Amino acid sequence: FDYQPAWSPDGRWVMYGSYDPNEDTVGIFVVPADGGDPIPLFGENAISPAWSADGESVYFASSYRGPEGRQNLWRMPFAPGEDVSSRLQRVTLGTTSDVYPSPSTDERKHAFAYVHLVPIVWRLDRATGDLVQITDLDGTENSPHLNVDGRRLLFQADRDGISKQWIRDLETGELQPLQTVGTARLARWSPDGERIAYGCDAEDRDQVVCIQR
């Protein structure tokens, strides 16, 4: 099955994760947005695909070159159909698992979920190596996504046992719940930073995509 789709910044490609139960393999693929054959980008248990702001690089979590079951973040050039394994860059060296990368526009900082029993969202400065914990709610905090302004962080948390979307201002620390239609899942900012798309429940369907400002 296929999951976690991510539009390229120019709208020409859709990147996604895929699991093959027959081969028991997980990998990252890309397909033209107007249709076509899937192109494999990376295997090695790769999950949580994300684009750089310019669309020239992709980020993902993988257990490649690490202990089995432990995911770290990786970066590689976006060159579908080409072998770019020699140009892979490791972004994190976590002691557990780092997933759901969300790079800033200039790629100098990254939001991601650090999984240790439950996920917590952190921010990494690639230039200095500084690591700052962003979320501090009780329960699980996951699926972070930075706004194009690099200031507003969208993420999911199940505080009080109810899964909701939250927005934290990284400059002021202000935290606000996002008012959504039903239970929202995997929320993402639009490229212009003005809208939010997420999966939501509907009366006549299991789930639809909702978009709101």
Side-chain angles (χ1 to χ4, degrees):
F1 60 90
D2 303 327
Y3 56 94
Q4 295 176 339
W7 287 92
S8 64
D10 61 9
R12 295 175 55 198
W13 300 90
V14 177
M15 183 168 55
Y16 60 95
S18 184
Y19 170 65
D20 184 343
N22 296 320
E23 300 293 334
D24 194 26
T25 56
V26 180
I28 301 297
F29 291 77
V30 70
V31 65
D34 57 359
D37 295 329
I39 302 172
L41 293 182
F42 197 74
E44 301 291 344
N45 294 317
I47 61 173
S48 305
W51 296 90
S52 63
D54 58 12
E56 295 185 1
S57 301
V58 297
Y59 291 83
F60 55 88
S62 173
S63 58
Y64 181 61
R65 293 182 180 174
E68 184 176 356
R70 182 180 300 173
Q71 306 279 346
N72 288 142
L73 303 185
W74 292 82
R75 175 182 182 270
M76 71 178 186
F78 177 59
E82 298 182 20
D83 182 4
V84 295
S85 58
S86 63
R87 299 162 65 188
L88 279 172
Q89 294 180 319
R90 195 170 192 162
V91 178
T92 64
L93 292 167
T95 56
T96 57
S97 285
D98 304 324
V99 294
Y100 290 111
S102 181
S104 61
T105 302
D106 60 9
E107 296 185 70
R108 295 182 58 189
K109 296 182 179 180
H110 299 263
F112 64 95
Y114 166 89
V115 181
H116 181 67
L117 300 182
V118 295
I120 299 172
V121 178
W122 293 73
R123 179 179 65 196
L124 169 69
D125 189 313
R126 290 183 61 194
T128 65
D130 290 342
L131 192 61
V132 178
Q133 183 174 336
I134 299 300
T135 62
D136 54 7
L137 297 176
D138 294 332
T140 298
E141 299 142 345
N142 210 348
S143 305
H145 195 220
L146 275 173
N147 191 284
V148 67
D149 61 15
R151 175 173 176 170
R152 290 171 291 169
L153 179 70
L154 178 66
F155 65 96
Q156 184 169 325
D158 63 354
R159 188 178 189 181
D160 300 328
I162 301 175
S163 182
K164 298 180 181 178
Q165 303 297 321
W166 297 78
I167 298 176
R168 180 182 288 278
D169 188 311
L170 298 181
E171 293 186 7
T172 67
E174 181 182 4
L175 181 66
Q176 292 184 337
L178 178 66
Q179 301 301 319
T180 62
V181 178
T183 300
R185 303 174 182 87
L186 288 176
R188 290 294 182 262
W189 295 103
S190 61
D192 61 8
E194 297 299 324
R195 293 169 295 173
I196 297 174
Y198 55 86
C200 58
D201 297 327
E203 293 183 359
D204 57 342
R205 298 178 61 183
D206 290 338
Q207 193 174 77
V208 298
V209 175
C210 298
I211 301 176
Q212 68 184 57
R213 294 184 179 273

